[in-house]
Amino acid sequence: MKKTLFDKVWDSHVVSSVKHGPDILYIDKHLIHEVTSPQAFNVLEEKGIPLFRPNQVVATADHNVPTENQHLPIQDALSRKQVSQLTKNCEAHGVNLFGLGHPYQGIVHVIGPELGVTQPGMTMVCGDSHTSTHGAFGTIAFGIGTSQVAQVFASQCVLVDKPKSMRVVVSGKLHPAVEPKDVVLYVIAKLGTDAGTGYFVEFAGNVFEEMSMEGRMTVCNMSIEMGARGGMIAPDQTTFDYVSKREFAPKGEALEAKIAHWKSLPTDDGAAFDAEHHFDAADIRPMITYGTNPGMGIKIADKIPSSDDASFVKSLEYMGLEADTYLLDMPISHVFIGSCTNSRIEDFRAAAAHIKGKQKSPDVAALIVPGSQQVAKQIVAEGLDQIFESAGFKLRQPGCSACLAMNDDKIPAGAYCVSTSNRNFEGRQGQGARTLLASPVTAAAAAVAGKIVDVSQV
Amino acid sequence: MEKFTLLKSNMVPLTVENVDTDQIIPARFLKATDRKGFGENLFRDWRFTPDGQIKEDFALNQSQYKGAILVAGNNFGCGSSREHAAWALADYGFKVVISSFFADIFKGNALNNGILPIQVSLENLQRIFAAIDQDPSVEAIVDIENQKLLIDAAGIAVTFEINDYKKMCLINGYDDIDYLISQKEAIEAFEQKRA
């Protein structure tokens, strides 16, 4: 029988199926962080059971770490407690922790791939919906709730119904100003935020084949924003080249054997999907969102659409925007370049290339937050820090930062922030904050101009 | 988990669509290391102004609406995987959420906390909203054993979907974790086979 990439990886991880119920899915790698794990560790203690496979768990502190003075104790008492609880739990249960101060610390979805923890054909989970990021490697990776974190602690498995399969094909030639973030914002704007619910998505077509691993991660990261539990891209030479250099990846003959297996994973010709969507790459332009869900996106040069729908009206009211008007040239006061969507070295190279030799607008506060300590180090090694700092951008230390405003990096009420993160929900970047999602280049350009610009027109 | 078989309750209407888990429980309230007390901050920024004043126009603040059933607009629970959203709903007192569509992760989290998500057609959802609008004291009966949702006032008597395994868990108050622990031999055998 012809199988999809998703079927191949899923089926090879099913321990058994509950009659008229879910599959018991075996999990190869379990990533954890400080926010969604403490209650799961409590479950182990309440039940008096051990962590079943501690060496398949990798931990880091990212969601509420400060992005300044990371060598000092965390000032916020609750954040400090949560981060120290993670350290205690990892010590007690023998979990490898890349905590604050560790050279591998960073956003969980940046460090997994960068360290080679993430490998093709694996199943991975994390108590975080953007676990979908790791699907860029041909991995089944999805977010879970804390009860399920406890289940994986106890059994290295989750009970989950097998999702349906969807293929999103983008083929043709991209406009040179279009970035991976624009591609995924375009797809979500076309399909809507619930189109993927109940599905696992495979992104296929030459556009994804030609993308770097960083770009593929940006795309798969946002699968959840169209409702899909996860997104996947078939592993190929680009994937193998990326993985083989990584610290925790297999080496030598073991790597050769793995690569031979990974080559068998792509979807068989003629395999069937439950749903399929095709898009022409040439139609995509730099994108931006105007509303309070990631599906409310437009080409930057286009008008905000209009609708009588009550939820749509409520959304524009929150954003302080009007239907049938242009976002182009609208002044903004904040820019955030970071998050698990766009905080890898390629994102900062792209932003720096635009910023080089320019100054940020005096009316804009611009924050650059690397996804990991390794990315931060690379930024310095390539001299990008000089470009950012001399242009007036603030370069911070790694963490989730203003993507969800759990630390001090918040956008003030009413302020417009062009952000490279993944969610423009009400209050996501701070109470009353107004988020406009875009690519790193569009964000950098907005910081320089002090307003929304269309980089395809510059 | 508590056993859950039958519920008769009024309903609280939340007509807005695409309610994401950041609205259900904003990220700044996720710093706890236990599961207690999240109900206090359920829909925090829709219930209260930044200076803590009650927003009178929000359904949860309107005394005519009460009960253990939340009726919500399409695509409820999208966004973040935070189970704190389910904890907040449960802690506030909700046992059932009715919507025309639920996000995947939220649905799983709800069931793992004894909250039943009931999916109805868009048409039936509108009828329920209309019935509550006409008379906030209208009651719904949720019968898990027979998978029935009955709302006489809205002319609704529908069968809802829930897989047999999850139904058994709710009725008996079983947790997935206990089931998985009971499967340890099979899991170890699976590991051996792959090695």
Side-chain angles (χ1 to χ4, degrees):
Chain A
M1 194 181 127
K2 299 188 188 313
K3 288 178 124 183
T4 64
L5 163 66
F6 170 69
D7 286 332
K8 291 180 195 182
V9 181
W10 185 279
D11 295 350
S12 67
H13 286 81
V14 175
V15 175
S16 65
S17 302
V18 182
K19 200 177 172 195
H20 304 300
D23 287 342
I24 300 180
L25 189 74
Y26 189 81
I27 300 304
D28 293 316
K29 287 284 155 58
H30 184 193
L31 307 175
I32 63 169
H33 60 82
E34 77 278 19
V35 178
T36 57
S37 68
Q39 294 88 348
F41 279 111
N42 294 348
V43 172
L44 294 183
E45 261 133 56
E46 285 156 19
K47 290 190 176 288
I49 53 172
L51 206 166
F52 185 54
R53 294 288 179 250
N55 56 15
Q56 285 169 246
V57 186
V58 173
T60 191
D62 56 3
H63 278 61
N64 60 35
V65 301
T67 56
E68 288 182 297
N69 296 318
Q70 288 185 348
H71 61 292
L72 297 176
I74 300 174
Q75 287 193 349
D76 179 277
L78 290 173
S79 297
R80 189 171 63 242
K81 187 181 168 205
Q82 212 172 41
V83 170
S84 78
Q85 190 66 43
L86 178 71
T87 308
K88 277 185 221 159
N89 286 334
C90 289
E91 278 169 6
H93 294 274
V95 171
N96 201 0
L97 168 67
F98 303 127
L100 268 187
H102 194 286
Y104 293 165
Q105 180 267 338
I107 303 176
V108 65
H109 309 309
V110 175
I111 70 165
E114 150 186 289
L115 294 172
V117 172
T118 306
Q119 294 166 26
M122 280 183 168
T123 50
M124 298 179 74
V125 291
C126 175
D128 188 288
S129 60
H130 291 110
T131 308
S132 57
T133 310
H134 308 266
F137 293 80
T139 306
I140 287 185
F142 55 91
I144 56 176
T146 297
S147 293
Q148 290 173 306
V149 173
Q151 291 164 26
V152 184
F153 280 166
S155 69
Q156 204 55 38
C157 290
V158 283
L159 277 169
V160 55
D161 294 313
K162 186 178 179 180
K164 289 180 282 185
S165 63
M166 177 188 288
R167 179 156 61 184
V168 171
V169 182
V170 183
S171 44
K173 194 169 160 48
L174 287 176
H175 185 285
V178 167
E179 293 197 71
K181 181 66 163 286
D182 299 313
V183 175
V184 71
L185 284 174
Y186 176 92
V187 169
I188 300 167
K190 287 282 183 192
L191 295 178
T193 49
D194 59 2
T197 305
Y199 291 90
F200 232 83
V201 175
E202 179 175 341
F203 294 98
N206 69 294
V207 164
F208 304 111
E209 287 163 15
E210 290 157 16
M211 257 181 207
S212 66
M213 288 315 297
E214 286 85 352
R216 294 178 190 184
M217 284 188 254
T218 298
V219 170
C220 289
N221 173 276
M222 292 196 71
S223 318
I224 184 71
E225 310 312 336
M226 53 183 274
R229 202 73 187 265
M232 300 176 88
I233 292 174
D236 59 10
Q237 198 57 45
T238 306
T239 323
F240 310 149
D241 291 345
Y242 181 100
V243 174
S244 54
K245 292 177 289 197
R246 308 285 152 175
E247 168 133 11
F248 296 108
K251 303 278 172 342
E253 280 180 26
L255 176 68
E256 293 308 315
K258 283 282 185 195
I259 290 178
H261 168 59
W262 296 342
K263 285 182 173 168
S264 72
L265 294 175
T267 295
D268 298 330
D269 283 342
F273 289 81
D274 296 306
E276 195 144 2
H277 301 278
H278 289 258
F279 298 102
D280 176 8
D283 185 49
I284 307 174
R285 286 292 178 280
M287 298 285 294
I288 195 158
T289 64
Y290 58 87
T292 55
N293 75 55
M296 300 174 82
I298 49 172
K299 294 174 189 171
I300 294 178
D302 285 355
K303 273 183 187 174
I304 297 171
S306 66
S307 165
D308 296 334
D309 176 77
S311 298
F312 182 92
V313 172
K314 179 178 184 293
S315 180
L316 284 201
E317 196 180 313
Y318 177 86
M319 292 298 294
L321 297 172
E322 294 202 11
D324 282 322
T325 61
Y326 289 98
L327 280 173
L328 203 61
D329 292 331
M330 185 181 84
I332 52 103
S333 58
H334 289 72
V335 163
F336 170 61
I337 304 181
S339 88
C340 59
T341 313
N342 285 117
S343 65
R344 297 176 185 84
I345 189 64
E346 190 179 270
D347 299 315
F348 297 114
R349 284 181 191 141
H354 183 89
I355 293 164
K356 195 173 184 178
K358 303 187 183 89
Q359 278 294 313
K360 117 186 138 57
S361 156
D363 304 326
V364 173
L367 205 56
I368 302 251
V369 184
S372 71
Q373 300 292 345
Q374 298 218 84
V375 171
K377 216 168 121 186
Q378 189 67 23
I379 285 175
V380 174
E382 296 184 16
L384 307 182
D385 56 329
Q386 305 290 328
I387 297 173
F388 294 136
E389 277 162 12
S390 62
F393 287 66
K394 281 190 198 128
L395 177 60
R396 294 287 190 83
Q397 292 172 295
C400 298
S401 181
C403 172
L404 84 170
M406 274 194 82
N407 68 357
D408 291 336
D409 306 339
K410 298 183 202 306
I411 308 304
Y416 289 103
C417 178
V418 178
S419 175
T420 66
S421 53
N422 39 58
R423 291 189 172 135
N424 48 359
F425 298 153
E426 286 184 30
R428 174 81 180 182
Q429 296 194 287
Q431 280 177 275
R434 292 160 166 169
T435 303
L436 307 155
L437 301 175
S439 76
V441 172
T442 295
V448 168
K451 59 183 186 175
I452 292 165
V453 292
D454 180 356
V455 291
S456 70
Q457 304 291 321
V458 178
Chain B
M1 229 162 57
E2 275 179 43
K3 294 181 183 181
F4 181 10
T5 50
L6 195 73
L7 175 73
K8 190 174 175 189
S9 171
N10 301 122
M11 294 169 281
V12 180
L14 184 63
T15 52
V16 62
E17 294 178 0
N18 298 314
V19 174
D20 59 77
T21 53
D22 274 80
Q23 306 318 312
I24 300 173
I25 183 90
R28 63 186 188 279
F29 301 115
L30 305 187
K31 296 184 183 185
T33 52
D34 58 30
R35 297 184 180 210
K36 294 185 221 90
F38 285 101
E40 201 178 309
N41 295 313
L42 175 70
F43 294 116
R44 177 75 198 195
D45 296 337
W46 286 353
R47 273 163 73 198
F48 302 101
T49 61
D51 56 1
Q53 301 298 309
I54 288 174
K55 292 186 178 177
E56 301 289 352
D57 59 348
F58 186 60
L60 269 68
N61 292 331
Q62 295 175 322
S63 58
Q64 69 268 37
Y65 301 125
K66 46 190 177 295
I69 300 175
L70 181 69
V71 186
N74 197 52
N75 196 26
F76 185 79
C78 57
S80 158
S81 63
R82 61 189 68 168
E83 194 163 316
H84 312 66
W87 299 338
L89 287 162
D91 188 47
Y92 188 87
F94 288 115
K95 299 278 289 174
V96 169
V97 184
I98 298 172
S99 180
S100 50
F101 201 72
F102 291 94
D104 284 332
I105 304 180
F106 173 79
K107 197 194 273 183
N109 287 342
L111 286 164
N112 280 333
N113 287 279
I115 297 174
L116 175 67
I118 296 180
Q119 189 167 329
V120 297
S121 68
L122 206 51
E123 189 196 350
N124 280 338
L125 184 71
Q126 296 311 331
R127 281 163 67 187
I128 299 170
F129 280 137
I132 304 171
D133 192 40
Q134 203 161 51
D135 177 9
S137 72
V138 31
E139 278 190 324
I141 296 170
V142 176
D143 173 354
I144 297 189
E145 180 68 51
N146 297 304
Q147 299 176 220
K148 291 283 184 209
L149 170 67
L150 306 167
I151 308 171
D152 281 350
I156 285 184
V158 292
T159 306
F160 57 82
E161 286 288 317
I162 178 169
N163 74 44
D164 290 355
Y165 168 79
K166 271 295 165 196
K167 181 167 145 183
M168 184 270 295
C169 288
L170 280 178
I171 291 173
N172 296 293
Y174 293 162
D175 288 327
D176 283 352
I177 191 167
D178 296 321
Y179 180 79
L180 284 169
I181 292 168
S182 78
Q183 298 298 306
K184 199 161 273 182
E185 268 182 39
I187 295 166
E188 280 169 340
F190 178 83
E191 287 178 324
Q192 296 272 321
K193 198 178 72 190
R194 295 175 81 216

